[in-house]
PDB file of all heavy atoms in Angstrom:
ATOM      1  N   TYR L 131      -3.899   8.989  -0.183  1.00 91.00           N
ATOM      2  CA  TYR L 131      -3.360  10.124  -0.911  1.00 91.00           C
ATOM      3  C   TYR L 131      -2.337   9.675  -1.942  1.00 91.00           C
ATOM      4  O   TYR L 131      -2.325  10.157  -3.078  1.00 91.00           O
ATOM      5  CB  TYR L 131      -2.736  11.132   0.058  1.00 91.00           C
ATOM      6  CG  TYR L 131      -2.028  12.269  -0.633  1.00 91.00           C
ATOM      7  CD1 TYR L 131      -2.751  13.292  -1.223  1.00 91.00           C
ATOM      8  CD2 TYR L 131      -0.644  12.299  -0.719  1.00 91.00           C
ATOM      9  CE1 TYR L 131      -2.108  14.325  -1.875  1.00 91.00           C
ATOM     10  CE2 TYR L 131       0.007  13.322  -1.366  1.00 91.00           C
ATOM     11  CZ  TYR L 131      -0.733  14.334  -1.941  1.00 91.00           C
ATOM     12  OH  TYR L 131      -0.091  15.338  -2.594  1.00 91.00           O
ATOM     13  N   LEU L 132      -1.479   8.726  -1.567  1.00 88.00           N
ATOM     14  CA  LEU L 132      -0.500   8.199  -2.510  1.00 88.00           C
ATOM     15  C   LEU L 132      -1.179   7.502  -3.693  1.00 88.00           C
ATOM     16  O   LEU L 132      -0.721   7.613  -4.830  1.00 88.00           O
ATOM     17  CB  LEU L 132       0.463   7.253  -1.803  1.00 88.00           C
ATOM     18  CG  LEU L 132       1.455   7.901  -0.837  1.00 88.00           C
ATOM     19  CD1 LEU L 132       2.258   6.843  -0.121  1.00 88.00           C
ATOM     20  CD2 LEU L 132       2.346   8.878  -1.554  1.00 88.00           C
ATOM     21  N   PHE L 133      -2.282   6.771  -3.413  1.00 82.00           N
ATOM     22  CA  PHE L 133      -3.044   6.156  -4.496  1.00 82.00           C
ATOM     23  C   PHE L 133      -3.534   7.217  -5.483  1.00 82.00           C
ATOM     24  O   PHE L 133      -3.394   7.069  -6.695  1.00 82.00           O
ATOM     25  CB  PHE L 133      -4.261   5.410  -3.949  1.00 82.00           C
ATOM     26  CG  PHE L 133      -4.022   3.977  -3.631  1.00 82.00           C
ATOM     27  CD1 PHE L 133      -4.130   3.532  -2.336  1.00 82.00           C
ATOM     28  CD2 PHE L 133      -3.719   3.069  -4.630  1.00 82.00           C
ATOM     29  CE1 PHE L 133      -3.924   2.203  -2.032  1.00 82.00           C
ATOM     30  CE2 PHE L 133      -3.519   1.742  -4.337  1.00 82.00           C
ATOM     31  CZ  PHE L 133      -3.620   1.310  -3.035  1.00 82.00           C
ATOM     32  N   LEU L 134      -4.127   8.271  -4.959  1.00 82.00           N
ATOM     33  CA  LEU L 134      -4.658   9.325  -5.826  1.00 82.00           C
ATOM     34  C   LEU L 134      -3.548  10.067  -6.548  1.00 82.00           C
ATOM     35  O   LEU L 134      -3.716  10.493  -7.698  1.00 82.00           O
ATOM     36  CB  LEU L 134      -5.524  10.278  -5.009  1.00 82.00           C
ATOM     37  CG  LEU L 134      -6.772   9.649  -4.404  1.00 82.00           C
ATOM     38  CD1 LEU L 134      -7.510  10.651  -3.537  1.00 82.00           C
ATOM     39  CD2 LEU L 134      -7.682   9.092  -5.477  1.00 82.00           C
ATOM     40  N   TRP L 135      -2.427  10.220  -5.904  1.00 86.00           N
ATOM     41  CA  TRP L 135      -1.286  10.900  -6.513  1.00 86.00           C
ATOM     42  C   TRP L 135      -0.758  10.095  -7.706  1.00 86.00           C
ATOM     43  O   TRP L 135      -0.486  10.641  -8.772  1.00 86.00           O
ATOM     44  CB  TRP L 135      -0.218  11.113  -5.457  1.00 86.00           C
ATOM     45  CG  TRP L 135       0.957  11.931  -5.879  1.00 86.00           C
ATOM     46  CD1 TRP L 135       1.032  12.807  -6.922  1.00 86.00           C
ATOM     47  CD2 TRP L 135       2.232  11.943  -5.259  1.00 86.00           C
ATOM     48  NE1 TRP L 135       2.283  13.372  -6.981  1.00 86.00           N
ATOM     49  CE2 TRP L 135       3.038  12.855  -5.961  1.00 86.00           C
ATOM     50  CE3 TRP L 135       2.776  11.286  -4.176  1.00 86.00           C
ATOM     51  CZ2 TRP L 135       4.353  13.112  -5.615  1.00 86.00           C
ATOM     52  CZ3 TRP L 135       4.075  11.546  -3.834  1.00 86.00           C
ATOM     53  CH2 TRP L 135       4.844  12.450  -4.542  1.00 86.00           C
ATOM     54  N   VAL L 136      -0.620   8.788  -7.517  1.00 81.00           N
ATOM     55  CA  VAL L 136      -0.161   7.930  -8.610  1.00 81.00           C
ATOM     56  C   VAL L 136      -1.163   7.969  -9.760  1.00 81.00           C
ATOM     57  O   VAL L 136      -0.786   8.040 -10.929  1.00 81.00           O
ATOM     58  CB  VAL L 136       0.062   6.484  -8.111  1.00 81.00           C
ATOM     59  CG1 VAL L 136       0.192   5.512  -9.259  1.00 81.00           C
ATOM     60  CG2 VAL L 136       1.282   6.422  -7.225  1.00 81.00           C
ATOM     61  N   ARG L 137      -2.442   7.959  -9.423  1.00 76.00           N
ATOM     62  CA  ARG L 137      -3.471   7.990 -10.462  1.00 76.00           C
ATOM     63  C   ARG L 137      -3.389   9.270 -11.278  1.00 76.00           C
ATOM     64  O   ARG L 137      -3.555   9.260 -12.490  1.00 76.00           O
ATOM     65  CB  ARG L 137      -4.847   7.865  -9.831  1.00 76.00           C
ATOM     66  CG  ARG L 137      -5.949   7.895 -10.837  1.00 76.00           C
ATOM     67  CD  ARG L 137      -7.297   7.787 -10.207  1.00 76.00           C
ATOM     68  NE  ARG L 137      -8.304   7.765 -11.245  1.00 76.00           N
ATOM     69  CZ  ARG L 137      -9.569   7.641 -11.030  1.00 76.00           C
ATOM     70  NH1 ARG L 137     -10.011   7.531  -9.790  1.00 76.00           N
ATOM     71  NH2 ARG L 137     -10.427   7.646 -12.008  1.00 76.00           N
ATOM     72  N   ALA L 138      -3.123  10.382 -10.629  1.00 77.00           N
ATOM     73  CA  ALA L 138      -3.090  11.660 -11.327  1.00 77.00           C
ATOM     74  C   ALA L 138      -1.765  11.908 -12.043  1.00 77.00           C
ATOM     75  O   ALA L 138      -1.709  12.737 -12.947  1.00 77.00           O
ATOM     76  CB  ALA L 138      -3.353  12.792 -10.331  1.00 77.00           C
ATOM     77  N   THR L 139      -0.709  11.214 -11.654  1.00 81.00           N
ATOM     78  CA  THR L 139       0.617  11.518 -12.172  1.00 81.00           C
ATOM     79  C   THR L 139       1.018  10.659 -13.357  1.00 81.00           C
ATOM     80  O   THR L 139       1.548  11.173 -14.339  1.00 81.00           O
ATOM     81  CB  THR L 139       1.661  11.348 -11.050  1.00 81.00           C
ATOM     82  OG1 THR L 139       1.280  12.171  -9.948  1.00 81.00           O
ATOM     83  CG2 THR L 139       3.028  11.756 -11.525  1.00 81.00           C
ATOM     84  N   TYR L 140       0.791   9.366 -13.285  1.00 76.00           N
ATOM     85  CA  TYR L 140       1.337   8.457 -14.282  1.00 76.00           C
ATOM     86  C   TYR L 140       0.338   8.150 -15.386  1.00 76.00           C
ATOM     87  O   TYR L 140      -0.856   8.022 -15.130  1.00 76.00           O
ATOM     88  CB  TYR L 140       1.793   7.149 -13.624  1.00 76.00           C
ATOM     89  CG  TYR L 140       2.986   7.351 -12.743  1.00 76.00           C
ATOM     90  CD1 TYR L 140       2.860   7.378 -11.368  1.00 76.00           C
ATOM     91  CD2 TYR L 140       4.234   7.548 -13.300  1.00 76.00           C
ATOM     92  CE1 TYR L 140       3.962   7.590 -10.553  1.00 76.00           C
ATOM     93  CE2 TYR L 140       5.341   7.751 -12.499  1.00 76.00           C
ATOM     94  CZ  TYR L 140       5.182   7.781 -11.126  1.00 76.00           C
ATOM     95  OH  TYR L 140       6.277   7.995 -10.337  1.00 76.00           O
ATOM     96  N   PRO L 141       0.823   8.002 -16.606  1.00 76.00           N
ATOM     97  CA  PRO L 141      -0.072   7.626 -17.708  1.00 76.00           C
ATOM     98  C   PRO L 141      -0.464   6.158 -17.597  1.00 76.00           C
ATOM     99  O   PRO L 141       0.168   5.385 -16.886  1.00 76.00           O
ATOM    100  CB  PRO L 141       0.764   7.880 -18.958  1.00 76.00           C
ATOM    101  CG  PRO L 141       2.163   7.738 -18.489  1.00 76.00           C
ATOM    102  CD  PRO L 141       2.185   8.221 -17.066  1.00 76.00           C
ATOM    103  N   ARG L 142      -1.486   5.783 -18.328  1.00 73.00           N
ATOM    104  CA  ARG L 142      -1.981   4.415 -18.295  1.00 73.00           C
ATOM    105  C   ARG L 142      -0.972   3.476 -18.954  1.00 73.00           C
ATOM    106  O   ARG L 142      -0.380   3.792 -19.969  1.00 73.00           O
ATOM    107  CB  ARG L 142      -3.313   4.357 -19.030  1.00 73.00           C
ATOM    108  CG  ARG L 142      -3.968   3.012 -18.971  1.00 73.00           C
ATOM    109  CD  ARG L 142      -5.373   3.064 -19.522  1.00 73.00           C
ATOM    110  NE  ARG L 142      -6.268   3.639 -18.531  1.00 73.00           N
ATOM    111  CZ  ARG L 142      -7.032   4.693 -18.752  1.00 73.00           C
ATOM    112  NH1 ARG L 142      -7.031   5.291 -19.912  1.00 73.00           N
ATOM    113  NH2 ARG L 142      -7.814   5.149 -17.803  1.00 73.00           N
ATOM    114  N   TYR L 143      -0.781   2.303 -18.343  1.00 73.00           N
ATOM    115  CA  TYR L 143       0.133   1.295 -18.882  1.00 73.00           C
ATOM    116  C   TYR L 143      -0.564   0.473 -19.958  1.00 73.00           C
ATOM    117  O   TYR L 143      -1.768   0.235 -19.892  1.00 73.00           O
ATOM    118  CB  TYR L 143       0.590   0.340 -17.778  1.00 73.00           C
ATOM    119  CG  TYR L 143       1.655   0.904 -16.882  1.00 73.00           C
ATOM    120  CD1 TYR L 143       1.335   1.595 -15.728  1.00 73.00           C
ATOM    121  CD2 TYR L 143       2.985   0.730 -17.192  1.00 73.00           C
ATOM    122  CE1 TYR L 143       2.319   2.107 -14.911  1.00 73.00           C
ATOM    123  CE2 TYR L 143       3.979   1.227 -16.385  1.00 73.00           C
ATOM    124  CZ  TYR L 143       3.632   1.920 -15.247  1.00 73.00           C
ATOM    125  OH  TYR L 143       4.606   2.428 -14.441  1.00 73.00           O
ATOM    126  N   ARG L 144       0.214  -0.008 -20.915  1.00 74.00           N
ATOM    127  CA  ARG L 144      -0.280  -0.985 -21.865  1.00 74.00           C
ATOM    128  C   ARG L 144      -0.117  -2.369 -21.237  1.00 74.00           C
ATOM    129  O   ARG L 144       0.567  -2.546 -20.240  1.00 74.00           O
ATOM    130  CB  ARG L 144       0.518  -0.908 -23.167  1.00 74.00           C
ATOM    131  CG  ARG L 144       0.369   0.380 -23.910  1.00 74.00           C
ATOM    132  CD  ARG L 144       1.066   0.317 -25.264  1.00 74.00           C
ATOM    133  NE  ARG L 144       2.314  -0.429 -25.246  1.00 74.00           N
ATOM    134  CZ  ARG L 144       3.525   0.114 -25.402  1.00 74.00           C
ATOM    135  NH1 ARG L 144       3.642   1.404 -25.578  1.00 74.00           N
ATOM    136  NH2 ARG L 144       4.603  -0.645 -25.383  1.00 74.00           N
ATOM    137  N   TYR L 145      -0.751  -3.374 -21.854  1.00 73.00           N
ATOM    138  CA  TYR L 145      -0.655  -4.734 -21.320  1.00 73.00           C
ATOM    139  C   TYR L 145       0.783  -5.224 -21.269  1.00 73.00           C
ATOM    140  O   TYR L 145       1.210  -5.806 -20.270  1.00 73.00           O
ATOM    141  CB  TYR L 145      -1.493  -5.705 -22.170  1.00 73.00           C
ATOM    142  CG  TYR L 145      -2.958  -5.651 -21.883  1.00 73.00           C
ATOM    143  CD1 TYR L 145      -3.834  -5.061 -22.781  1.00 73.00           C
ATOM    144  CD2 TYR L 145      -3.480  -6.190 -20.719  1.00 73.00           C
ATOM    145  CE1 TYR L 145      -5.186  -5.004 -22.526  1.00 73.00           C
ATOM    146  CE2 TYR L 145      -4.821  -6.133 -20.447  1.00 73.00           C
ATOM    147  CZ  TYR L 145      -5.678  -5.538 -21.354  1.00 73.00           C
ATOM    148  OH  TYR L 145      -7.005  -5.472 -21.088  1.00 73.00           O
ATOM    149  N   ASP L 146       1.539  -4.989 -22.331  1.00 78.00           N
ATOM    150  CA  ASP L 146       2.914  -5.487 -22.356  1.00 78.00           C
ATOM    151  C   ASP L 146       3.781  -4.782 -21.321  1.00 78.00           C
ATOM    152  O   ASP L 146       4.650  -5.398 -20.692  1.00 78.00           O
ATOM    153  CB  ASP L 146       3.514  -5.348 -23.750  1.00 78.00           C
ATOM    154  CG  ASP L 146       3.607  -3.899 -24.209  1.00 78.00           C
ATOM    155  OD1 ASP L 146       2.693  -3.111 -23.901  1.00 78.00           O
ATOM    156  OD2 ASP L 146       4.606  -3.553 -24.873  1.00 78.00           O
ATOM    157  N   GLN L 147       3.538  -3.504 -21.083  1.00 79.00           N
ATOM    158  CA  GLN L 147       4.303  -2.784 -20.064  1.00 79.00           C
ATOM    159  C   GLN L 147       3.983  -3.303 -18.669  1.00 79.00           C
ATOM    160  O   GLN L 147       4.878  -3.454 -17.829  1.00 79.00           O
ATOM    161  CB  GLN L 147       4.003  -1.287 -20.143  1.00 79.00           C
ATOM    162  CG  GLN L 147       4.503  -0.624 -21.385  1.00 79.00           C
ATOM    163  CD  GLN L 147       3.997   0.801 -21.503  1.00 79.00           C
ATOM    164  OE1 GLN L 147       2.924   1.149 -21.023  1.00 79.00           O
ATOM    165  NE2 GLN L 147       4.799   1.627 -22.165  1.00 79.00           N
ATOM    166  N   LEU L 148       2.706  -3.582 -18.415  1.00 77.00           N
ATOM    167  CA  LEU L 148       2.319  -4.100 -17.100  1.00 77.00           C
ATOM    168  C   LEU L 148       2.889  -5.491 -16.869  1.00 77.00           C
ATOM    169  O   LEU L 148       3.371  -5.800 -15.775  1.00 77.00           O
ATOM    170  CB  LEU L 148       0.801  -4.106 -16.968  1.00 77.00           C
ATOM    171  CG  LEU L 148       0.269  -4.473 -15.591  1.00 77.00           C
ATOM    172  CD1 LEU L 148       0.729  -3.470 -14.550  1.00 77.00           C
ATOM    173  CD2 LEU L 148      -1.234  -4.558 -15.607  1.00 77.00           C
ATOM    174  N   MET L 149       2.867  -6.340 -17.892  1.00 80.00           N
ATOM    175  CA  MET L 149       3.444  -7.681 -17.757  1.00 80.00           C
ATOM    176  C   MET L 149       4.948  -7.612 -17.534  1.00 80.00           C
ATOM    177  O   MET L 149       5.500  -8.344 -16.720  1.00 80.00           O
ATOM    178  CB  MET L 149       3.148  -8.532 -18.997  1.00 80.00           C
ATOM    179  CG  MET L 149       1.688  -8.858 -19.189  1.00 80.00           C
ATOM    180  SD  MET L 149       1.019  -9.777 -17.804  1.00 80.00           S
ATOM    181  CE  MET L 149      -0.275  -8.683 -17.298  1.00 80.00           C
TER     182      MET L 149
END
Side-chain angles (χ1 to χ4, degrees):
Y131 174 76
L132 289 175
F133 269 116
L134 296 176
W135 186 20
V136 166
R137 180 181 182 178
T139 304
Y140 292 104
R142 184 171 282 124
Y143 282 91
R144 295 186 323 249
Y145 281 107
D146 62 323
Q147 292 171 331
L148 187 62
M149 294 300 121

